[in-house]
Amino acid sequence: MPDSIAVDTLVIRARDGDQRAWEQLVERYAPMLWSICKAYGLDRRDIDDVVQYVWMRAVEHLSRLRVPERLGSWLATTTKRECVRVRRVRYQRDSAEYPLDAAAVSGDEGDDVGDDVARALEEAERNAVLRAAFAELSPGCRRLLSLLVREVPYSEISARLGMAVGSIGPTRSRCLARLRADAALSALMSADAEVREGESHV
């Protein structure tokens, strides 16, 4: 089964009991799940648990997935929610075992460290959402945007992808529009915009 086969086709085949189609879905999205878990700072044991849980949920919900081609977004969202739950449980456990003195986290240095951690987590979440949205694009869009990000000249892109130089710009715009249309990425961009707007009125 070729790697370029559409996600919705794989989902439909997997629903019908095609084991190879299911294996293709796992192969395609397993790196994304691991990447999201790593971005949330989970250790190997927690990552194994989260990934296993997400795939079990996927098996349960595959037949009820209304838009098969959105499987990647569903997997990303489910993985992030489970990562947050696991981190919360671990934090509560660690807090119970090693309670912090309020004075230890109320100083300027503690605030700086807390801010750094918060920013790092926010950046990791953005990257994870972007990678998930990127994985949902067509192979052609993924190849084109990857080359553009690396600032490959249009002439070389044209030769590599067999595209007319004049069509690269319009195709880029369409691919970016599809990327921005991703539900999770769109929600994140809207939230960032609201935060910036709020800060501008402070």
mmCIF file with all atom_site columns, all heavy atoms in Angstrom, residues 101-119:
data_model
loop_
_atom_site.group_PDB
_atom_site.id
_atom_site.type_symbol
_atom_site.label_atom_id
_atom_site.label_alt_id
_atom_site.label_comp_id
_atom_site.label_asym_id
_atom_site.label_entity_id
_atom_site.label_seq_id
_atom_site.pdbx_PDB_ins_code
_atom_site.Cartn_x
_atom_site.Cartn_y
_atom_site.Cartn_z
_atom_site.occupancy
_atom_site.B_iso_or_equiv
_atom_site.pdbx_formal_charge
_atom_site.auth_seq_id
_atom_site.auth_comp_id
_atom_site.auth_asym_id
_atom_site.auth_atom_id
_atom_site.pdbx_PDB_model_num
ATOM 1   N N   . ASP A 1 101 ? 7.552  25.229 49.966 1.00 0.00 ? 101 ASP A N   1
ATOM 2   C CA  . ASP A 1 101 ? 7.348  26.379 50.831 1.00 0.00 ? 101 ASP A CA  1
ATOM 3   C C   . ASP A 1 101 ? 6.934  27.543 49.950 1.00 0.00 ? 101 ASP A C   1
ATOM 4   O O   . ASP A 1 101 ? 7.556  27.815 48.930 1.00 0.00 ? 101 ASP A O   1
ATOM 5   C CB  . ASP A 1 101 ? 8.656  26.700 51.555 1.00 0.00 ? 101 ASP A CB  1
ATOM 6   C CG  . ASP A 1 101 ? 8.495  27.842 52.551 1.00 0.00 ? 101 ASP A CG  1
ATOM 7   O OD1 . ASP A 1 101 ? 7.465  28.540 52.500 1.00 0.00 ? 101 ASP A OD1 1
ATOM 8   O OD2 . ASP A 1 101 ? 9.409  28.017 53.372 1.00 0.00 ? 101 ASP A OD2 1
ATOM 9   N N   . ALA A 1 102 ? 5.847  28.234 50.308 1.00 0.00 ? 102 ALA A N   1
ATOM 10  C CA  . ALA A 1 102 ? 5.356  29.333 49.479 1.00 0.00 ? 102 ALA A CA  1
ATOM 11  C C   . ALA A 1 102 ? 6.441  30.366 49.235 1.00 0.00 ? 102 ALA A C   1
ATOM 12  O O   . ALA A 1 102 ? 6.529  30.964 48.161 1.00 0.00 ? 102 ALA A O   1
ATOM 13  C CB  . ALA A 1 102 ? 4.145  29.988 50.137 1.00 0.00 ? 102 ALA A CB  1
ATOM 14  N N   . ALA A 1 103 ? 7.300  30.600 50.241 1.00 0.00 ? 103 ALA A N   1
ATOM 15  C CA  . ALA A 1 103 ? 8.345  31.606 50.089 1.00 0.00 ? 103 ALA A CA  1
ATOM 16  C C   . ALA A 1 103 ? 9.350  31.209 49.030 1.00 0.00 ? 103 ALA A C   1
ATOM 17  O O   . ALA A 1 103 ? 10.010 32.056 48.437 1.00 0.00 ? 103 ALA A O   1
ATOM 18  C CB  . ALA A 1 103 ? 9.068  31.798 51.433 1.00 0.00 ? 103 ALA A CB  1
ATOM 19  N N   . ALA A 1 104 ? 9.470  29.913 48.770 1.00 0.00 ? 104 ALA A N   1
ATOM 20  C CA  . ALA A 1 104 ? 10.470 29.436 47.811 1.00 0.00 ? 104 ALA A CA  1
ATOM 21  C C   . ALA A 1 104 ? 10.099 29.789 46.383 1.00 0.00 ? 104 ALA A C   1
ATOM 22  O O   . ALA A 1 104 ? 10.947 29.794 45.499 1.00 0.00 ? 104 ALA A O   1
ATOM 23  C CB  . ALA A 1 104 ? 10.643 27.926 47.942 1.00 0.00 ? 104 ALA A CB  1
ATOM 24  N N   . VAL A 1 105 ? 8.800  30.057 46.133 1.00 0.00 ? 105 VAL A N   1
ATOM 25  C CA  . VAL A 1 105 ? 8.383  30.334 44.760 1.00 0.00 ? 105 VAL A CA  1
ATOM 26  C C   . VAL A 1 105 ? 7.821  31.738 44.599 1.00 0.00 ? 105 VAL A C   1
ATOM 27  O O   . VAL A 1 105 ? 7.270  32.073 43.555 1.00 0.00 ? 105 VAL A O   1
ATOM 28  C CB  . VAL A 1 105 ? 7.315  29.316 44.302 1.00 0.00 ? 105 VAL A CB  1
ATOM 29  C CG1 . VAL A 1 105 ? 7.916  27.938 44.225 1.00 0.00 ? 105 VAL A CG1 1
ATOM 30  C CG2 . VAL A 1 105 ? 6.107  29.328 45.235 1.00 0.00 ? 105 VAL A CG2 1
ATOM 31  N N   . SER A 1 106 ? 7.947  32.573 45.637 1.00 0.00 ? 106 SER A N   1
ATOM 32  C CA  . SER A 1 106 ? 7.341  33.896 45.557 1.00 0.00 ? 106 SER A CA  1
ATOM 33  C C   . SER A 1 106 ? 8.343  34.991 45.227 1.00 0.00 ? 106 SER A C   1
ATOM 34  O O   . SER A 1 106 ? 7.955  36.123 44.966 1.00 0.00 ? 106 SER A O   1
ATOM 35  C CB  . SER A 1 106 ? 6.664  34.231 46.898 1.00 0.00 ? 106 SER A CB  1
ATOM 36  O OG  . SER A 1 106 ? 7.635  34.252 47.934 1.00 0.00 ? 106 SER A OG  1
ATOM 37  N N   . GLY A 1 107 ? 9.647  34.653 45.192 1.00 0.00 ? 107 GLY A N   1
ATOM 38  C CA  . GLY A 1 107 ? 10.651 35.667 44.925 1.00 0.00 ? 107 GLY A CA  1
ATOM 39  C C   . GLY A 1 107 ? 10.761 35.985 43.463 1.00 0.00 ? 107 GLY A C   1
ATOM 40  O O   . GLY A 1 107 ? 10.169 35.337 42.603 1.00 0.00 ? 107 GLY A O   1
ATOM 41  N N   . ASP A 1 108 ? 11.572 37.022 43.144 1.00 0.00 ? 108 ASP A N   1
ATOM 42  C CA  . ASP A 1 108 ? 11.738 37.426 41.753 1.00 0.00 ? 108 ASP A CA  1
ATOM 43  C C   . ASP A 1 108 ? 12.349 36.314 40.915 1.00 0.00 ? 108 ASP A C   1
ATOM 44  O O   . ASP A 1 108 ? 11.933 36.067 39.787 1.00 0.00 ? 108 ASP A O   1
ATOM 45  C CB  . ASP A 1 108 ? 12.634 38.669 41.675 1.00 0.00 ? 108 ASP A CB  1
ATOM 46  C CG  . ASP A 1 108 ? 11.956 39.874 42.296 1.00 0.00 ? 108 ASP A CG  1
ATOM 47  O OD1 . ASP A 1 108 ? 10.709 39.851 42.383 1.00 0.00 ? 108 ASP A OD1 1
ATOM 48  O OD2 . ASP A 1 108 ? 12.659 40.820 42.708 1.00 0.00 ? 108 ASP A OD2 1
ATOM 49  N N   . GLU A 1 109 ? 13.351 35.629 41.466 1.00 0.00 ? 109 GLU A N   1
ATOM 50  C CA  . GLU A 1 109 ? 14.020 34.574 40.704 1.00 0.00 ? 109 GLU A CA  1
ATOM 51  C C   . GLU A 1 109 ? 13.033 33.453 40.392 1.00 0.00 ? 109 GLU A C   1
ATOM 52  O O   . GLU A 1 109 ? 12.997 32.926 39.287 1.00 0.00 ? 109 GLU A O   1
ATOM 53  C CB  . GLU A 1 109 ? 15.208 34.021 41.489 1.00 0.00 ? 109 GLU A CB  1
ATOM 54  C CG  . GLU A 1 109 ? 15.976 32.947 40.719 1.00 0.00 ? 109 GLU A CG  1
ATOM 55  C CD  . GLU A 1 109 ? 17.183 32.451 41.500 1.00 0.00 ? 109 GLU A CD  1
ATOM 56  O OE1 . GLU A 1 109 ? 17.487 33.029 42.558 1.00 0.00 ? 109 GLU A OE1 1
ATOM 57  O OE2 . GLU A 1 109 ? 17.807 31.476 41.035 1.00 0.00 ? 109 GLU A OE2 1
ATOM 58  N N   . GLY A 1 110 ? 12.225 33.089 41.408 1.00 0.00 ? 110 GLY A N   1
ATOM 59  C CA  . GLY A 1 110 ? 11.237 32.039 41.180 1.00 0.00 ? 110 GLY A CA  1
ATOM 60  C C   . GLY A 1 110 ? 10.245 32.436 40.110 1.00 0.00 ? 110 GLY A C   1
ATOM 61  O O   . GLY A 1 110 ? 9.850  31.630 39.278 1.00 0.00 ? 110 GLY A O   1
ATOM 62  N N   . ASP A 1 111 ? 9.813  33.707 40.103 1.00 0.00 ? 111 ASP A N   1
ATOM 63  C CA  . ASP A 1 111 ? 8.875  34.177 39.096 1.00 0.00 ? 111 ASP A CA  1
ATOM 64  C C   . ASP A 1 111 ? 9.485  34.086 37.707 1.00 0.00 ? 111 ASP A C   1
ATOM 65  O O   . ASP A 1 111 ? 8.815  33.717 36.747 1.00 0.00 ? 111 ASP A O   1
ATOM 66  C CB  . ASP A 1 111 ? 8.462  35.629 39.391 1.00 0.00 ? 111 ASP A CB  1
ATOM 67  C CG  . ASP A 1 111 ? 7.601  35.709 40.650 1.00 0.00 ? 111 ASP A CG  1
ATOM 68  O OD1 . ASP A 1 111 ? 7.060  34.662 41.055 1.00 0.00 ? 111 ASP A OD1 1
ATOM 69  O OD2 . ASP A 1 111 ? 7.494  36.817 41.213 1.00 0.00 ? 111 ASP A OD2 1
ATOM 70  N N   . ASP A 1 112 ? 10.774 34.440 37.589 1.00 0.00 ? 112 ASP A N   1
ATOM 71  C CA  . ASP A 1 112 ? 11.439 34.375 36.292 1.00 0.00 ? 112 ASP A CA  1
ATOM 72  C C   . ASP A 1 112 ? 11.480 32.947 35.778 1.00 0.00 ? 112 ASP A C   1
ATOM 73  O O   . ASP A 1 112 ? 11.220 32.687 34.605 1.00 0.00 ? 112 ASP A O   1
ATOM 74  C CB  . ASP A 1 112 ? 12.870 34.923 36.395 1.00 0.00 ? 112 ASP A CB  1
ATOM 75  C CG  . ASP A 1 112 ? 12.880 36.432 36.617 1.00 0.00 ? 112 ASP A CG  1
ATOM 76  O OD1 . ASP A 1 112 ? 11.842 37.064 36.342 1.00 0.00 ? 112 ASP A OD1 1
ATOM 77  O OD2 . ASP A 1 112 ? 13.906 36.962 37.090 1.00 0.00 ? 112 ASP A OD2 1
ATOM 78  N N   . VAL A 1 113 ? 11.812 32.019 36.675 1.00 0.00 ? 113 VAL A N   1
ATOM 79  C CA  . VAL A 1 113 ? 11.870 30.615 36.271 1.00 0.00 ? 113 VAL A CA  1
ATOM 80  C C   . VAL A 1 113 ? 10.489 30.129 35.856 1.00 0.00 ? 113 VAL A C   1
ATOM 81  O O   . VAL A 1 113 ? 10.321 29.432 34.855 1.00 0.00 ? 113 VAL A O   1
ATOM 82  C CB  . VAL A 1 113 ? 12.424 29.743 37.427 1.00 0.00 ? 113 VAL A CB  1
ATOM 83  C CG1 . VAL A 1 113 ? 12.301 28.264 37.079 1.00 0.00 ? 113 VAL A CG1 1
ATOM 84  C CG2 . VAL A 1 113 ? 13.869 30.098 37.706 1.00 0.00 ? 113 VAL A CG2 1
ATOM 85  N N   . GLY A 1 114 ? 9.477  30.510 36.636 1.00 0.00 ? 114 GLY A N   1
ATOM 86  C CA  . GLY A 1 114 ? 8.116  30.105 36.293 1.00 0.00 ? 114 GLY A CA  1
ATOM 87  C C   . GLY A 1 114 ? 7.697  30.642 34.936 1.00 0.00 ? 114 GLY A C   1
ATOM 88  O O   . GLY A 1 114 ? 7.074  29.943 34.143 1.00 0.00 ? 114 GLY A O   1
ATOM 89  N N   . ASP A 1 115 ? 8.038  31.898 34.673 1.00 0.00 ? 115 ASP A N   1
ATOM 90  C CA  . ASP A 1 115 ? 7.707  32.488 33.379 1.00 0.00 ? 115 ASP A CA  1
ATOM 91  C C   . ASP A 1 115 ? 8.418  31.766 32.248 1.00 0.00 ? 115 ASP A C   1
ATOM 92  O O   . ASP A 1 115 ? 7.840  31.540 31.178 1.00 0.00 ? 115 ASP A O   1
ATOM 93  C CB  . ASP A 1 115 ? 8.101  33.974 33.353 1.00 0.00 ? 115 ASP A CB  1
ATOM 94  C CG  . ASP A 1 115 ? 7.202  34.808 34.253 1.00 0.00 ? 115 ASP A CG  1
ATOM 95  O OD1 . ASP A 1 115 ? 6.107  34.315 34.616 1.00 0.00 ? 115 ASP A OD1 1
ATOM 96  O OD2 . ASP A 1 115 ? 7.587  35.937 34.597 1.00 0.00 ? 115 ASP A OD2 1
ATOM 97  N N   . ASP A 1 116 ? 9.688  31.410 32.463 1.00 0.00 ? 116 ASP A N   1
ATOM 98  C CA  . ASP A 1 116 ? 10.440 30.701 31.435 1.00 0.00 ? 116 ASP A CA  1
ATOM 99  C C   . ASP A 1 116 ? 9.815  29.354 31.130 1.00 0.00 ? 116 ASP A C   1
ATOM 100 O O   . ASP A 1 116 ? 9.715  28.948 29.972 1.00 0.00 ? 116 ASP A O   1
ATOM 101 C CB  . ASP A 1 116 ? 11.898 30.494 31.888 1.00 0.00 ? 116 ASP A CB  1
ATOM 102 C CG  . ASP A 1 116 ? 12.689 31.794 31.887 1.00 0.00 ? 116 ASP A CG  1
ATOM 103 O OD1 . ASP A 1 116 ? 12.220 32.757 31.244 1.00 0.00 ? 116 ASP A OD1 1
ATOM 104 O OD2 . ASP A 1 116 ? 13.757 31.842 32.533 1.00 0.00 ? 116 ASP A OD2 1
ATOM 105 N N   . VAL A 1 117 ? 9.394  28.642 32.172 1.00 0.00 ? 117 VAL A N   1
ATOM 106 C CA  . VAL A 1 117 ? 8.763  27.330 31.977 1.00 0.00 ? 117 VAL A CA  1
ATOM 107 C C   . VAL A 1 117 ? 7.445  27.495 31.221 1.00 0.00 ? 117 VAL A C   1
ATOM 108 O O   . VAL A 1 117 ? 7.141  26.741 30.296 1.00 0.00 ? 117 VAL A O   1
ATOM 109 C CB  . VAL A 1 117 ? 8.522  26.643 33.334 1.00 0.00 ? 117 VAL A CB  1
ATOM 110 C CG1 . VAL A 1 117 ? 7.667  25.389 33.153 1.00 0.00 ? 117 VAL A CG1 1
ATOM 111 C CG2 . VAL A 1 117 ? 9.846  26.280 33.987 1.00 0.00 ? 117 VAL A CG2 1
ATOM 112 N N   . ALA A 1 118 ? 6.660  28.496 31.616 1.00 0.00 ? 118 ALA A N   1
ATOM 113 C CA  . ALA A 1 118 ? 5.382  28.725 30.950 1.00 0.00 ? 118 ALA A CA  1
ATOM 114 C C   . ALA A 1 118 ? 5.574  29.041 29.473 1.00 0.00 ? 118 ALA A C   1
ATOM 115 O O   . ALA A 1 118 ? 4.859  28.520 28.614 1.00 0.00 ? 118 ALA A O   1
ATOM 116 C CB  . ALA A 1 118 ? 4.628  29.869 31.640 1.00 0.00 ? 118 ALA A CB  1
ATOM 117 N N   . ARG A 1 119 ? 6.571  29.897 29.190 1.00 0.00 ? 119 ARG A N   1
ATOM 118 C CA  . ARG A 1 119 ? 6.830  30.240 27.782 1.00 0.00 ? 119 ARG A CA  1
ATOM 119 C C   . ARG A 1 119 ? 7.294  29.014 26.994 1.00 0.00 ? 119 ARG A C   1
ATOM 120 O O   . ARG A 1 119 ? 6.903  28.828 25.848 1.00 0.00 ? 119 ARG A O   1
ATOM 121 C CB  . ARG A 1 119 ? 7.876  31.356 27.711 1.00 0.00 ? 119 ARG A CB  1
ATOM 122 C CG  . ARG A 1 119 ? 7.321  32.741 28.017 1.00 0.00 ? 119 ARG A CG  1
ATOM 123 C CD  . ARG A 1 119 ? 8.325  33.814 27.614 1.00 0.00 ? 119 ARG A CD  1
ATOM 124 N NE  . ARG A 1 119 ? 9.527  33.761 28.445 1.00 0.00 ? 119 ARG A NE  1
ATOM 125 C CZ  . ARG A 1 119 ? 9.672  34.440 29.566 1.00 0.00 ? 119 ARG A CZ  1
ATOM 126 N NH1 . ARG A 1 119 ? 8.689  35.213 30.012 1.00 0.00 ? 119 ARG A NH1 1
ATOM 127 N NH2 . ARG A 1 119 ? 10.792 34.354 30.271 1.00 0.00 ? 119 ARG A NH2 1
#
